[in-house]
């Protein structure tokens, strides 16, 4: 399999036309069609549904497209690194982030890194912990911010200093809004919106004394913003972290912490025994100094 052919395939998939893709690639249409046909024959798969009027990916083609995109991304990053290895310090750092106030110290370290090394570029991707770990293990992300509980045995890591506090987001005119804190019994008959991550479900299950199934879960979410909108529209009470929402006087919703308190620790992690380019080494040194200052 050649990288050139993968790029040809991705262009055809993007343009949904051999003729349009051939113009983009500046190759002849017969030559392009033959390259894709040879690729299909090599692996005994059909990548495209072909008709006289349309071109679309098969199920095999959609799966192959995702793999091809990851391969091309890794090739481009490696090419960039090798071209600049003996020049000025530069490079691209790919960082997966869960949603947390603990991320702030990482963002501060990014700012300081770019002040001293403006040719180091950061690419951040937001997702839940399961998403971040998956992309780390695939080599798509260089670094990831994950929250407990997490299996740290397969990673090297830096422990981030800020603890997040769990609580409930609710309408200010809701039944529980006058409470200072929220206990397990307060939630058992309420419509709940919770994260779809297993680690969150397990954590809240422990806080509830193993009685998680007693919750009336009416919706789940993987990132916070849509959960906030559901709360504002009276779908239910949102289990979330304290600093994801900045409450104001004119806001229709408010946050109440759990009682007994439930907190969460975050870690910056990367694959064990990974050899990093200079750009990432510098960033980790700066972040480590920021963590020491906050201790």
């Amino acid at each position: 399999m050649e990288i050139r052919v993968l790029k040809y395939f991705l262009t055809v998939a993007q343009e949904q036309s051999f003729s349009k893709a051939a113009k983009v690639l500046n190759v002849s249409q017969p030559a392009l069609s033959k390259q894709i046909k040879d690729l299909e024959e090599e692996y005994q798969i059909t990548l495209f549904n072909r008709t006289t009027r349309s071109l679309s990916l098969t199920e095999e083609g959609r799966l192959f497209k995702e793999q091809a995109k990851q391969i091309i991304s890794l090739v481009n990053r490696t090419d960039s690194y090798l071209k600049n290895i003996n020049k000025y310090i530069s490079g691209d750092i790919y960082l997966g982030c869960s949603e947390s106030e603990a991320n702030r110290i990482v963002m501060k370290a990014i700012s300081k890194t770019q002040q001293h090394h403006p040719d180091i570029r950061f690419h951040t991707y937001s997702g839940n912990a399961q998403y971040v770990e998956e992309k780390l293990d695939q080599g798509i992300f260089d670094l990831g911010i994950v929250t407990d509980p997490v299996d740290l045995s397969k990673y090297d890591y830096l422990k981030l200093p800020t603890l997040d506090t769990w609580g409930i987001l609710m309408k200010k005119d809701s039944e529980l809004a006058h409470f200072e804190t929220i206990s397990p019994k307060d939630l058992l008959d309420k419509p709940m919106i919770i994260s779809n991550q297993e680690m969150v479900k397990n954590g809240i299950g422990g806080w509830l004394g193993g009685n998680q199934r007693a919750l009336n879960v009416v919706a789940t979410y993987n990132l916070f913003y849509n959960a906030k909108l559901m709360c504002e529209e009276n779908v239910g009470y949102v289990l979330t972290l304290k600093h994801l929402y900045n409450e104001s006087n004119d806001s229709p919703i408010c946050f109440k912490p759990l009682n007994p308190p439930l907190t969460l620790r975050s870690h910056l992690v990367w694959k064990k025994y990974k050899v990093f380019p200079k750009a990432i080494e510098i960033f980790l040194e700066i972040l480590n100094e920021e963590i020491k200052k906050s201790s």
Side-chain angles (χ1 to χ4, degrees):
M1 183 188 300
E2 297 181 32
I3 298 301
R4 173 177 54 83
V5 177
L6 289 182
K7 291 180 178 178
Y8 283 2
F9 163 75
L10 288 174
T11 304
V12 175
Q14 175 68 33
E15 299 296 328
Q16 297 184 328
S17 164
F18 278 100
S19 59
K20 291 180 180 178
K23 290 180 180 178
V24 171
L25 295 166
N26 197 28
V27 299
S28 69
Q29 182 176 334
L32 178 59
S33 298
K34 184 177 186 307
Q35 291 284 353
I36 301 302
K37 191 66 176 175
D38 289 346
L39 181 63
E40 291 176 317
E41 290 177 355
E42 181 179 358
Y43 293 101
Q44 296 297 299
I45 58 175
T46 301
L47 297 173
F48 293 100
N49 294 310
R50 298 168 172 85
T51 69
T52 56
R53 294 187 176 181
S54 66
L55 184 73
S56 62
L57 287 168
T58 63
E59 180 63 26
E60 291 172 321
R62 285 191 289 270
L63 294 173
F64 187 75
K65 178 183 175 183
E66 292 306 309
Q67 296 297 319
K69 286 166 62 178
Q70 293 179 16
I71 291 169
I72 296 300
S73 175
L74 289 172
V75 168
N76 289 340
R77 289 162 58 187
T78 302
D79 180 68
S80 175
Y81 168 67
L82 291 175
K83 286 179 178 177
N84 294 295
I85 192 170
N86 293 318
K87 301 178 184 178
Y88 51 85
I89 297 174
S90 67
D92 295 272
I93 300 176
Y94 292 79
L95 173 65
C97 308
S98 55
E99 294 184 310
S100 168
E101 176 66 15
N103 298 357
R104 184 174 296 277
I105 195 169
V106 177
M107 304 310 162
K108 186 175 183 179
I110 288 175
S111 176
K112 289 201 170 184
T113 300
Q114 290 193 320
Q115 288 173 25
H116 295 95
H117 305 282
D119 291 303
I120 296 178
R121 296 171 297 275
F122 290 83
H123 308 275
T124 61
Y125 298 82
S126 296
N128 61 32
Q130 291 162 316
Y131 165 80
V132 173
E133 287 188 60
E134 177 184 322
K135 296 302 181 184
L136 270 174
D137 294 342
Q138 292 174 351
I140 306 304
F141 295 161
D142 300 305
L143 308 165
I145 302 173
V146 296
T147 52
D148 283 333
V150 59
D151 180 12
L152 292 173
S153 65
K154 60 180 181 178
Y155 299 117
D156 288 321
Y157 63 93
L158 289 174
K159 184 184 293 185
L160 302 183
T162 302
L163 280 175
D164 281 301
T165 300
W166 282 104
I168 305 297
L169 199 67
M170 64 191 76
K171 292 293 290 289
K172 285 182 178 177
D173 59 0
S174 67
E175 181 183 343
L176 302 181
H178 66 284
F179 290 15
E180 291 298 320
T181 59
I182 304 299
S183 67
K185 63 181 177 60
D186 298 327
L187 299 177
L188 296 183
D189 62 342
K190 301 297 185 291
M192 295 298 301
I193 304 167
I194 68 172
S195 169
N196 57 21
Q197 296 183 74
E198 285 302 317
M199 64 167 212
V200 173
K201 293 177 183 177
N202 294 337
I204 196 63
W207 181 78
L208 289 165
N211 200 25
Q212 181 197 336
R213 291 186 178 181
L215 285 182
N216 176 25
V217 178
V218 297
T220 64
Y221 67 94
N222 70 329
L223 291 176
F224 172 73
Y225 186 74
N226 286 325
K228 177 182 79 74
L229 294 182
M230 285 192 283
C231 181
E232 292 176 348
E233 296 301 325
N234 283 311
V235 175
Y237 293 78
V238 181
L239 174 71
T240 187
L241 299 176
K242 181 176 181 179
H243 293 291
L244 296 185
Y245 176 73
N246 293 321
E247 186 179 335
S248 62
N249 291 332
D250 58 351
S251 170
I253 56 180
C254 60
F255 178 90
K256 303 292 180 178
L258 300 182
N259 184 30
L262 186 63
T263 58
L264 196 67
R265 171 76 68 182
S266 293
H267 312 268
L268 183 84
V269 302
W270 57 93
K271 292 174 73 173
K272 271 185 178 281
Y273 315 117
K274 189 173 179 67
V275 178
F276 282 133
K278 191 65 176 177
I280 298 180
E281 289 181 0
I282 288 172
F283 168 66
L284 290 176
E285 289 172 4
I286 291 173
L287 175 58
N288 205 21
E289 287 302 313
E290 291 300 316
I291 292 173
K292 289 177 181 177
K293 288 179 187 178
S294 69
S295 301

